[in-house]
Coordinates of all heavy atoms in Angstrom, one line a residue:
M1 N 16.6 -11.8 -10.9 CA 16.3 -10.8 -11.9 C 15.0 -10.1 -11.6 O 14.8 -8.9 -11.8 CB 16.3 -11.4 -13.3 CG 16.2 -10.5 -14.4 SD 17.5 -9.3 -14.4 CE 17.6 -9.0 -16.1
I2 N 14.0 -10.9 -11.2 CA 12.6 -10.3 -11.0 C 12.7 -9.2 -9.9 O 12.1 -8.2 -10.0 CB 11.6 -11.4 -10.7 CG1 11.3 -12.2 -11.9 CG2 10.3 -10.8 -10.1 CD1 10.4 -13.4 -11.7
V3 N 13.4 -9.5 -8.8 CA 13.5 -8.6 -7.6 C 14.1 -7.3 -8.1 O 13.7 -6.2 -7.7 CB 14.3 -9.2 -6.5 CG1 14.6 -8.2 -5.4 CG2 13.7 -10.5 -6.0
V4 N 15.2 -7.3 -8.9 CA 15.7 -6.1 -9.5 C 14.8 -5.3 -10.3 O 14.6 -4.1 -10.1 CB 17.0 -6.4 -10.3 CG1 17.5 -5.2 -11.0 CG2 18.1 -7.1 -9.4
K5 N 14.0 -6.0 -11.1 CA 13.0 -5.3 -11.9 C 11.9 -4.6 -11.0 O 11.6 -3.5 -11.2 CB 12.3 -6.3 -12.9 CG 11.3 -5.7 -13.8 CD 10.7 -6.8 -14.7 CE 9.7 -6.3 -15.6 NZ 9.0 -7.3 -16.4
V6 N 11.4 -5.4 -10.1 CA 10.4 -4.8 -9.1 C 11.0 -3.6 -8.4 O 10.3 -2.6 -8.3 CB 9.9 -5.9 -8.1 CG1 9.1 -5.2 -7.0 CG2 9.2 -7.0 -8.8
G7 N 12.2 -3.7 -7.9 CA 12.9 -2.6 -7.2 C 13.0 -1.4 -8.1 O 12.8 -0.3 -7.7
C8 N 13.4 -1.6 -9.3 CA 13.5 -0.5 -10.3 C 12.2 0.2 -10.5 O 12.1 1.4 -10.5 CB 14.1 -1.0 -11.6 SG 15.8 -1.5 -11.5
Y9 N 11.2 -0.6 -10.7 CA 9.8 0.0 -11.0 C 9.4 0.8 -9.8 O 8.8 1.9 -9.8 CB 8.8 -1.1 -11.3 CG 8.8 -1.4 -12.8 CD1 9.1 -2.7 -13.2 CD2 8.6 -0.5 -13.8 CE1 9.0 -3.1 -14.5 CE2 8.6 -0.9 -15.1 CZ 8.8 -2.2 -15.5 OH 8.8 -2.5 -16.8
T10 N 9.6 0.2 -8.6 CA 9.2 0.9 -7.3 C 10.0 2.2 -7.2 O 9.4 3.2 -6.8 CB 9.4 0.0 -6.1 OG1 8.7 -1.3 -6.3 CG2 9.1 0.7 -4.8
E11 N 11.3 2.2 -7.4 CA 12.1 3.4 -7.3 C 11.6 4.5 -8.3 O 11.5 5.7 -8.0 CB 13.5 3.1 -7.6 CG 14.2 2.4 -6.4 CD 15.7 2.1 -6.6 OE1 16.3 2.9 -7.3 OE2 16.2 1.1 -6.0
A12 N 11.3 4.0 -9.5 CA 10.8 4.9 -10.6 C 9.4 5.5 -10.2 O 9.2 6.7 -10.3 CB 10.7 4.2 -11.9
A13 N 8.5 4.6 -9.6 CA 7.2 5.1 -9.2 C 7.4 6.2 -8.1 O 6.7 7.2 -8.1 CB 6.4 4.0 -8.7
L14 N 8.3 6.0 -7.2 CA 8.5 6.9 -6.1 C 9.1 8.2 -6.6 O 8.7 9.3 -6.2 CB 9.4 6.3 -5.0 CG 8.8 5.2 -4.2 CD1 9.8 4.5 -3.3 CD2 7.7 5.8 -3.2
A15 N 10.1 8.1 -7.5 CA 10.7 9.3 -8.1 C 9.8 10.1 -8.9 O 9.8 11.4 -8.8 CB 11.9 8.8 -8.9
E16 N 8.9 9.4 -9.6 CA 8.0 10.1 -10.5 C 6.6 10.4 -9.8 O 5.8 11.1 -10.3 CB 7.7 9.3 -11.8 CG 8.9 9.2 -12.7 CD 9.4 10.5 -13.2 OE1 8.6 11.3 -13.6 OE2 10.7 10.6 -13.3
N17 N 6.5 9.9 -8.6 CA 5.2 10.1 -7.8 C 4.0 9.6 -8.7 O 3.0 10.3 -8.7 CB 5.1 11.5 -7.4 CG 4.3 11.7 -6.1 OD1 4.3 10.8 -5.3 ND2 3.8 12.9 -5.9
D18 N 4.1 8.4 -9.3 CA 3.2 7.9 -10.3 C 2.9 6.4 -10.0 O 3.7 5.6 -10.3 CB 3.8 8.2 -11.6 CG 2.8 7.7 -12.8 OD1 1.7 7.3 -12.5 OD2 3.3 7.9 -13.9
E19 N 1.7 6.1 -9.6 CA 1.3 4.8 -9.3 C 1.1 3.9 -10.6 O 1.1 2.7 -10.6 CB 0.1 4.6 -8.4 CG -1.2 5.1 -9.0 CD -1.6 6.6 -8.6 OE1 -0.7 7.3 -8.2 OE2 -2.7 6.9 -8.7
T20 N 0.9 4.6 -11.7 CA 0.8 3.8 -13.0 C 2.0 3.0 -13.3 O 2.0 2.0 -14.0 CB 0.4 4.7 -14.2 OG1 1.4 5.6 -14.4 CG2 -0.9 5.4 -13.9
I21 N 3.2 3.5 -12.8 CA 4.4 2.7 -13.0 C 4.3 1.4 -12.3 O 4.8 0.4 -12.8 CB 5.6 3.5 -12.6 CG1 5.8 4.8 -13.5 CG2 6.9 2.7 -12.6 CD1 6.8 5.8 -13.0
C22 N 3.7 1.3 -11.1 CA 3.5 0.1 -10.4 C 2.7 -1.0 -11.2 O 2.9 -2.1 -11.1 CB 2.8 0.3 -9.1 SG 3.7 1.4 -7.9
E23 N 1.8 -0.5 -12.0 CA 1.0 -1.4 -12.9 C 1.8 -2.1 -13.9 O 1.4 -3.2 -14.3 CB -0.1 -0.5 -13.6 CG -1.1 0.1 -12.7 CD -2.0 1.1 -13.3 OE1 -1.9 1.2 -14.5 OE2 -2.7 1.8 -12.6
R24 N 3.0 -1.7 -14.2 CA 3.9 -2.4 -15.1 C 4.5 -3.7 -14.5 O 5.1 -4.5 -15.3 CB 5.0 -1.4 -15.6 CG 4.5 -0.2 -16.3 CD 5.6 0.7 -16.8 NE 5.0 2.0 -17.2 CZ 5.8 3.0 -17.4 NH1 7.1 3.0 -17.2 NH2 5.2 4.1 -17.8
I25 N 4.4 -3.8 -13.2 CA 5.0 -5.0 -12.6 C 3.9 -6.1 -12.7 O 2.9 -6.0 -12.1 CB 5.3 -4.8 -11.1 CG1 6.3 -3.6 -10.9 CG2 5.8 -6.0 -10.4 CD1 6.4 -3.1 -9.5
D26 N 4.2 -7.1 -13.6 CA 3.2 -8.1 -13.8 C 3.3 -9.3 -13.0 O 2.4 -9.9 -12.5 CB 3.1 -8.5 -15.3 CG 4.5 -8.9 -15.8 OD1 5.5 -8.8 -15.2 OD2 4.5 -9.4 -17.0
K27 N 4.6 -9.6 -12.6 CA 4.8 -10.8 -11.8 C 6.0 -10.4 -10.8 O 6.9 -9.7 -11.2 CB 5.2 -12.0 -12.6 CG 4.1 -12.5 -13.4 CD 4.6 -13.8 -14.1 CE 3.4 -14.3 -15.0 NZ 3.9 -15.4 -15.8
P28 N 6.0 -10.8 -9.6 CA 4.9 -11.4 -8.9 C 4.0 -10.3 -8.4 O 4.3 -9.1 -8.3 CB 5.6 -12.1 -7.7 CG 6.8 -11.2 -7.5 CD 7.3 -10.7 -8.8
V29 N 2.7 -10.7 -8.1 CA 1.8 -9.7 -7.6 C 2.2 -9.1 -6.3 O 1.9 -7.9 -6.1 CB 0.4 -10.4 -7.5 CG1 0.3 -11.3 -6.3 CG2 -0.7 -9.3 -7.3
T30 N 3.0 -9.8 -5.5 CA 3.6 -9.2 -4.3 C 4.4 -8.0 -4.6 O 4.5 -7.1 -3.9 CB 4.3 -10.2 -3.5 OG1 5.3 -10.8 -4.3 CG2 3.4 -11.3 -2.9
G31 N 5.1 -8.1 -5.8 CA 6.0 -6.9 -6.1 C 5.2 -5.7 -6.5 O 5.5 -4.6 -6.1
R32 N 4.1 -5.9 -7.1 CA 3.2 -4.8 -7.5 C 2.5 -4.2 -6.2 O 2.5 -3.0 -6.0 CB 2.1 -5.2 -8.4 CG 1.2 -4.1 -9.0 CD 0.3 -4.5 -10.2 NE -0.5 -5.7 -9.9 CZ -0.2 -6.8 -10.6 NH1 0.7 -6.9 -11.5 NH2 -1.0 -7.9 -10.3
N33 N 2.1 -5.1 -5.3 CA 1.5 -4.7 -4.0 C 2.5 -3.9 -3.2 O 2.2 -2.9 -2.6 CB 1.1 -5.9 -3.2 CG -0.2 -6.5 -3.7 OD1 -0.9 -5.9 -4.5 ND2 -0.5 -7.7 -3.2
S34 N 3.8 -4.3 -3.2 CA 4.8 -3.6 -2.5 C 5.1 -2.2 -3.0 O 5.2 -1.3 -2.3 CB 6.1 -4.4 -2.5 OG 7.1 -3.7 -1.9
C35 N 5.0 -2.2 -4.4 CA 5.2 -0.9 -5.0 C 4.0 0.1 -4.6 O 4.3 1.2 -4.3 CB 5.2 -1.1 -6.6 SG 5.5 0.4 -7.6
Y36 N 2.8 -0.4 -4.7 CA 1.7 0.4 -4.3 C 1.8 0.8 -2.8 O 1.5 2.0 -2.5 CB 0.4 -0.3 -4.5 CG -0.1 -0.4 -5.9 CD1 -0.6 -1.6 -6.4 CD2 -0.1 0.7 -6.8 CE1 -1.1 -1.7 -7.7 CE2 -0.5 0.6 -8.1 CZ -1.0 -0.6 -8.5 OH -1.5 -0.7 -9.8
N37 N 2.2 -0.1 -2.0 CA 2.3 0.2 -0.6 C 3.4 1.3 -0.3 O 3.1 2.3 0.4 CB 2.7 -1.0 0.2 CG 2.8 -0.9 1.7 OD1 2.2 0.1 2.2 ND2 3.5 -1.7 2.4
E38 N 4.5 1.2 -0.9 CA 5.6 2.2 -0.7 C 5.1 3.5 -1.2 O 5.3 4.6 -0.6 CB 6.8 1.7 -1.4 CG 7.5 0.5 -0.8 CD 7.8 0.8 0.7 OE1 8.3 1.8 1.1 OE2 7.5 -0.2 1.5
L39 N 4.4 3.5 -2.4 CA 4.0 4.8 -3.0 C 2.8 5.4 -2.1 O 2.8 6.6 -1.9 CB 3.5 4.6 -4.4 CG 3.3 5.9 -5.2 CD1 4.6 6.7 -5.3 CD2 2.9 5.5 -6.6
A40 N 2.0 4.6 -1.6 CA 0.9 5.1 -0.7 C 1.4 5.8 0.5 O 1.0 6.8 0.9 CB -0.1 3.9 -0.3
Q41 N 2.5 5.2 1.1 CA 3.1 5.8 2.2 C 3.8 7.1 1.9 O 3.7 8.1 2.6 CB 4.2 4.8 2.8 CG 3.6 3.4 3.2 CD 2.3 3.4 4.0 OE1 2.2 4.1 5.0 NE2 1.4 2.6 3.5
A42 N 4.5 7.1 0.8 CA 5.2 8.3 0.3 C 4.3 9.5 0.0 O 4.5 10.6 0.4 CB 6.1 8.0 -0.9
K43 N 3.2 9.2 -0.6 CA 2.2 10.2 -1.0 C 1.1 10.4 0.0 O 0.3 11.3 -0.1 CB 1.5 9.8 -2.3 CG 2.4 9.8 -3.5 CD 1.7 9.4 -4.8 CE 0.7 10.4 -5.3 NZ 0.2 10.1 -6.7
T44 N 1.2 9.6 1.1 CA 0.1 9.6 2.1 C -1.3 9.6 1.5 O -2.1 10.4 1.8 CB 0.3 10.8 3.1 OG1 0.2 12.0 2.5 CG2 1.5 10.7 3.9
D45 N -1.5 8.6 0.6 CA -2.7 8.5 -0.2 C -3.3 7.1 0.0 O -2.9 6.1 -0.6 CB -2.4 8.7 -1.7 CG -3.6 8.8 -2.6 OD1 -4.7 8.3 -2.1 OD2 -3.4 9.2 -3.7
A46 N -4.4 7.1 0.8 CA -5.1 5.8 1.1 C -5.7 5.2 -0.2 O -5.8 4.0 -0.2 CB -6.2 6.0 2.1
D47 N -6.1 5.9 -1.1 CA -6.6 5.4 -2.4 C -5.6 4.4 -3.1 O -6.1 3.5 -3.7 CB -7.0 6.5 -3.4 CG -8.3 7.3 -2.9 OD1 -9.0 6.7 -2.0 OD2 -8.4 8.4 -3.3
I48 N -4.4 4.7 -3.0 CA -3.4 3.8 -3.6 C -3.4 2.4 -2.8 O -3.2 1.4 -3.5 CB -2.0 4.5 -3.6 CG1 -2.0 5.7 -4.4 CG2 -1.0 3.4 -4.1 CD1 -0.7 6.5 -4.4
C49 N -3.6 2.4 -1.6 CA -3.7 1.2 -0.8 C -4.9 0.3 -1.4 O -4.8 -0.9 -1.4 CB -4.0 1.4 0.7 SG -2.6 2.1 1.6
G50 N -5.9 0.9 -1.9 CA -7.0 0.2 -2.5 C -6.7 -0.5 -3.7 O -7.5 -1.4 -4.2
K51 N -5.6 -0.2 -4.4 CA -5.2 -0.9 -5.6 C -4.4 -2.2 -5.3 O -4.2 -3.0 -6.1 CB -4.3 0.0 -6.4 CG -5.0 1.2 -6.9 CD -4.1 2.1 -7.8 CE -4.9 3.3 -8.3 NZ -4.5 3.7 -9.6
I52 N -4.1 -2.4 -4.0 CA -3.4 -3.6 -3.6 C -4.3 -4.8 -3.6 O -5.5 -4.7 -3.2 CB -2.8 -3.4 -2.2 CG1 -1.7 -2.4 -2.2 CG2 -2.3 -4.7 -1.6 CD1 -1.1 -2.0 -0.9
E53 N -3.8 -5.9 -4.2 CA -4.6 -7.2 -4.2 C -4.5 -7.9 -2.9 O -3.4 -8.1 -2.4 CB -4.1 -8.0 -5.4 CG -4.4 -7.5 -6.7 CD -3.9 -8.3 -7.9 OE1 -4.1 -9.6 -7.7 OE2 -3.4 -7.8 -8.9
G54 N -5.6 -8.3 -2.3 CA -5.6 -9.1 -1.1 C -6.0 -8.2 0.1 O -5.4 -7.2 0.3
D55 N -7.0 -8.7 0.7 CA -7.6 -7.9 1.9 C -6.5 -7.6 3.0 O -6.5 -6.5 3.5 CB -8.8 -8.5 2.5 CG -10.0 -8.6 1.6 OD1 -10.0 -7.8 0.6 OD2 -10.9 -9.4 1.8
Q56 N -5.8 -8.7 3.3 CA -4.8 -8.5 4.4 C -3.7 -7.4 4.0 O -3.3 -6.6 4.8 CB -4.1 -9.9 4.7 CG -3.1 -9.8 5.8 CD -2.6 -11.1 6.2 OE1 -2.9 -12.1 5.6 NE2 -1.7 -11.2 7.2
M57 N -3.2 -7.6 2.7 CA -2.2 -6.6 2.3 C -2.7 -5.2 2.2 O -2.0 -4.2 2.6 CB -1.7 -7.0 0.9 CG -1.0 -8.4 0.9 SD 0.5 -8.4 2.0 CE 1.5 -7.3 1.3
Q58 N -4.0 -5.0 1.8 CA -4.6 -3.6 1.9 C -4.7 -3.2 3.2 O -4.4 -2.0 3.5 CB -6.0 -3.7 1.2 CG -6.1 -3.7 -0.2 CD -7.5 -3.6 -0.8 OE1 -8.4 -3.3 0.0 NE2 -7.6 -3.7 -2.1
A59 N -5.1 -4.0 4.2 CA -5.3 -3.6 5.6 C -3.9 -3.2 6.2 O -3.8 -2.2 6.9 CB -5.9 -4.8 6.4
M60 N -2.9 -4.0 5.8 CA -1.5 -3.6 6.3 C -1.1 -2.2 5.8 O -0.5 -1.4 6.5 CB -0.5 -4.7 5.9 CG -0.7 -6.0 6.7 SD 0.2 -7.3 6.1 CE 1.9 -6.8 6.4
C61 N -1.4 -2.0 4.5 CA -1.0 -0.7 4.0 C -1.8 0.5 4.7 O -1.2 1.4 5.0 CB -1.4 -0.7 2.4 SG -1.0 0.8 1.6
L62 N -3.1 0.3 4.8 CA -3.9 1.3 5.5 C -3.5 1.5 7.0 O -3.5 2.6 7.4 CB -5.4 0.9 5.4 CG -6.0 1.1 4.0 CD1 -7.3 0.4 3.9 CD2 -6.1 2.5 3.6
S63 N -3.2 0.4 7.6 CA -2.7 0.5 9.0 C -1.5 1.3 9.1 O -1.3 2.2 10.0 CB -2.5 -0.9 9.6 OG -3.7 -1.6 9.7
R64 N -0.5 1.0 8.3 CA 0.8 1.7 8.3 C 0.5 3.2 7.9 O 1.1 4.1 8.6 CB 1.7 1.1 7.2 CG 3.1 1.6 7.2 CD 3.9 0.8 6.2 NE 5.1 1.5 5.9 CZ 5.8 1.3 4.8 NH1 5.5 0.5 3.9 NH2 6.9 2.0 4.6
L65 N -0.3 3.5 7.0 CA -0.6 4.8 6.6 C -1.3 5.6 7.7 O -0.9 6.7 8.0 CB -1.4 4.9 5.3 CG -1.7 6.2 4.8 CD1 -0.5 7.0 4.4 CD2 -2.6 6.1 3.6
G66 N -2.3 4.9 8.3 CA -3.0 5.6 9.4 C -2.1 6.0 10.6 O -2.2 7.1 11.1
A67 N -1.2 5.1 10.9 CA -0.3 5.3 12.0 C 0.7 6.4 11.6 O 1.0 7.3 12.4 CB 0.5 4.0 12.3
K68 N 1.1 6.5 10.3 CA 2.0 7.5 9.9 C 1.5 8.9 9.9 O 2.1 9.8 10.3 CB 2.5 7.2 8.4 CG 3.4 8.2 7.8 CD 3.8 7.8 6.4 CE 4.8 8.8 5.8 NZ 5.3 8.5 4.5
I69 N 0.2 9.0 9.4 CA -0.4 10.3 9.4 C -1.3 10.7 10.6 O -1.8 11.8 10.7 CB -1.2 10.5 8.0 CG1 -2.4 9.5 8.0 CG2 -0.3 10.4 6.8 CD1 -3.3 9.8 6.8
G70 N -1.4 9.7 11.5 CA -2.2 9.9 12.7 C -3.7 10.1 12.4 O -4.4 10.8 13.1
D71 N -4.2 9.4 11.4 CA -5.6 9.5 11.0 C -6.2 8.1 11.0 O -6.1 7.3 10.0 CB -5.8 10.2 9.6 CG -7.2 10.3 9.2 OD1 -8.1 10.0 10.0 OD2 -7.5 10.8 8.1
C72 N -6.9 7.7 12.1 CA -7.4 6.4 12.2 C -8.7 6.2 11.3 O -9.1 5.1 11.2 CB -7.8 6.2 13.7 SG -6.4 6.1 14.8
D73 N -9.2 7.2 10.7 CA -10.4 7.1 9.9 C -10.0 6.3 8.6 O -11.0 5.8 8.0 CB -10.9 8.5 9.4 CG -11.6 9.2 10.6 OD1 -12.0 8.6 11.6 OD2 -11.8 10.5 10.5
V74 N -8.8 6.2 8.2 CA -8.5 5.4 7.1 C -8.8 3.9 7.3 O -9.1 3.1 6.4 CB -7.0 5.5 6.6 CG1 -6.6 6.9 6.2 CG2 -6.0 5.0 7.7
C75 N -8.9 3.5 8.6 CA -9.2 2.2 9.0 C -10.6 1.8 8.6 O -11.0 0.6 8.5 CB -9.0 2.0 10.5 SG -7.3 2.3 11.1
D76 N -11.5 2.8 8.4 CA -12.9 2.6 8.0 C -12.9 1.9 6.7 O -14.0 1.3 6.3 CB -13.7 3.9 8.1 CG -13.8 4.4 9.5 OD1 -13.7 3.6 10.4 OD2 -14.1 5.6 9.6
Q77 N -11.9 2.1 5.8 CA -11.9 1.5 4.5 C -11.7 0.0 4.5 O -11.8 -0.7 3.5 CB -10.8 2.2 3.7 CG -11.1 3.6 3.4 CD -10.0 4.2 2.6 OE1 -9.4 3.6 1.7 NE2 -9.7 5.5 2.9
I78 N -11.3 -0.6 5.6 CA -11.0 -2.0 5.8 C -12.3 -2.7 6.1 O -13.0 -2.4 7.0 CB -10.0 -2.2 6.9 CG1 -8.7 -1.5 6.6 CG2 -9.7 -3.8 7.1 CD1 -7.7 -1.5 7.7
Q79 N -12.6 -3.7 5.3 CA -13.9 -4.5 5.4 C -13.9 -5.5 6.6 O -14.9 -5.7 7.2 CB -14.2 -5.2 4.1 CG -14.2 -4.2 2.9 CD -15.3 -4.4 2.0 OE1 -16.0 -5.4 2.0 NE2 -15.6 -3.4 1.1
S80 N -12.8 -6.1 6.8 CA -12.7 -7.0 7.9 C -12.7 -6.3 9.3 O -11.9 -5.4 9.5 CB -11.4 -7.9 7.8 OG -11.1 -8.5 9.0
D81 N -13.6 -6.8 10.1 CA -13.7 -6.2 11.5 C -12.3 -6.4 12.3 O -11.9 -5.5 12.9 CB -14.8 -6.8 12.3 CG -16.2 -6.3 11.8 OD1 -16.2 -5.3 11.0 OD2 -17.2 -7.0 12.0
L82 N -11.8 -7.6 12.1 CA -10.5 -7.9 12.8 C -9.4 -7.0 12.3 O -8.7 -6.4 13.1 CB -10.2 -9.4 12.5 CG -8.8 -9.8 13.0 CD1 -8.8 -9.7 14.5 CD2 -8.4 -11.2 12.6
W83 N -9.3 -6.9 11.0 CA -8.2 -6.0 10.5 C -8.4 -4.5 10.8 O -7.5 -3.8 11.0 CB -8.0 -6.3 9.0 CG -7.3 -7.6 8.7 CD1 -7.8 -8.7 8.2 CD2 -5.9 -7.8 9.0 NE1 -6.9 -9.7 8.2 CE2 -5.7 -9.2 8.6 CE3 -4.8 -7.1 9.5 CZ2 -4.4 -9.8 8.8 CZ3 -3.6 -7.7 9.6 CH2 -3.4 -9.1 9.2
S84 N -9.7 -4.1 10.7 CA -10.0 -2.7 11.0 C -9.7 -2.4 12.5 O -9.1 -1.3 12.8 CB -11.5 -2.5 10.8 OG -11.8 -1.1 11.0
A85 N -10.0 -3.4 13.4 CA -9.7 -3.1 14.8 C -8.1 -3.1 15.0 O -7.6 -2.2 15.8 CB -10.3 -4.3 15.7
Q86 N -7.4 -4.0 14.3 CA -6.0 -4.0 14.5 C -5.4 -2.6 13.9 O -4.4 -2.1 14.4 CB -5.3 -5.2 13.7 CG -5.6 -6.4 14.5 CD -5.0 -7.7 13.9 OE1 -4.6 -7.6 12.7 NE2 -5.0 -8.8 14.6
C87 N -6.0 -2.2 12.8 CA -5.5 -0.9 12.2 C -5.7 0.3 13.2 O -4.8 1.1 13.4 CB -6.4 -0.6 11.0 SG -6.0 1.0 10.2
R88 N -6.9 0.3 13.8 CA -7.2 1.4 14.8 C -6.2 1.2 16.0 O -5.7 2.3 16.5 CB -8.6 1.3 15.3 CG -9.6 1.8 14.2 CD -10.9 2.1 14.8 NE -11.7 2.7 13.7 CZ -11.6 4.0 13.4 NH1 -10.8 4.8 13.9 NH2 -12.3 4.5 12.4
E89 N -5.9 0.0 16.4 CA -5.0 -0.1 17.6 C -3.6 0.4 17.1 O -3.0 1.1 17.9 CB -4.9 -1.6 17.9 CG -4.0 -1.9 19.1 CD -4.0 -3.4 19.5 OE1 -5.0 -4.1 19.3 OE2 -2.9 -3.8 20.0
A90 N -3.1 0.0 16.0 CA -1.8 0.5 15.5 C -1.8 2.0 15.4 O -0.8 2.7 15.7 CB -1.5 -0.2 14.2
C91 N -2.9 2.5 14.9 CA -3.0 4.0 14.7 C -2.9 4.8 16.0 O -2.3 5.8 16.1 CB -4.2 4.3 13.9 SG -4.5 6.0 13.5
T92 N -3.6 4.3 17.0 CA -3.7 5.0 18.2 C -2.4 4.9 19.0 O -2.2 5.7 20.0 CB -4.9 4.6 19.1 OG1 -4.8 3.2 19.3 CG2 -6.2 4.9 18.4
Q93 N -1.6 3.9 18.7 CA -0.3 3.7 19.5 C 0.7 4.7 19.0 O 1.7 4.9 19.7 CB 0.2 2.3 19.3 CG -0.7 1.3 20.1 CD -0.1 -0.1 19.9 OE1 0.8 -0.4 19.2 NE2 -0.8 -1.1 20.6
N94 N 0.5 5.4 17.9 CA 1.6 6.3 17.4 C 1.1 7.7 17.6 O 0.2 8.2 17.8 CB 1.9 6.0 15.9 CG 2.6 4.7 15.8 OD1 3.4 4.4 16.6 ND2 2.3 4.0 14.7

């Protein structure tokens, strides 16, 4: 039941182009993170990646976004040197 709820909120957030809908997902946090990630990719908005809880999950969102838009500068938002380097590597491969 939780997966359906998360999927519905994510679809609604994408349809309405509104990250505040992701905030309605209270459990599990991975569901909210997934919603933010999908919306960040759709809107090509790195600021939405910053709402994701967990450094690794934020880095993955930013890496995916950087590769998608061809802008490795989004990797500068990643605090971990390791994740930032991996972000740049993923970004330059696309």
Side-chain angles (χ1 to χ4, degrees):
M1 182 64 145
I2 290 175
V3 174
V4 172
K5 183 179 175 182
V6 169
C8 290
Y9 278 121
T10 301
E11 286 181 29
L14 290 167
E16 296 296 322
N17 212 21
D18 182 2
E19 67 261 23
T20 63
I21 295 172
C22 298
E23 294 167 10
R24 297 180 193 165
I25 303 170
D26 54 353
K27 292 182 183 177
V29 72
T30 54
R32 187 170 49 249
N33 284 348
S34 177
C35 183
Y36 284 136
N37 184 21
E38 292 304 314
L39 194 57
Q41 305 312 312
K43 291 178 72 172
T44 60
D45 185 345
D47 290 338
I48 297 173
C49 291
K51 295 181 179 210
I52 293 175
E53 293 180 38
D55 293 342
Q56 182 177 0
M57 295 301 293
Q58 279 186 11
M60 290 172 62
C61 180
L62 289 165
S63 294
R64 185 175 166 205
L65 182 60
K68 179 180 179 176
I69 64 175
D71 182 3
C72 297
D73 289 342
V74 299
C75 301
D76 294 340
Q77 297 179 35
I78 301 173
Q79 304 222 345
S80 162
D81 290 340
L82 173 65
W83 285 105
S84 181
Q86 288 181 350
C87 177
R88 288 197 172 280
E89 183 178 326
C91 181
T92 57
Q93 288 180 356
N94 289 324

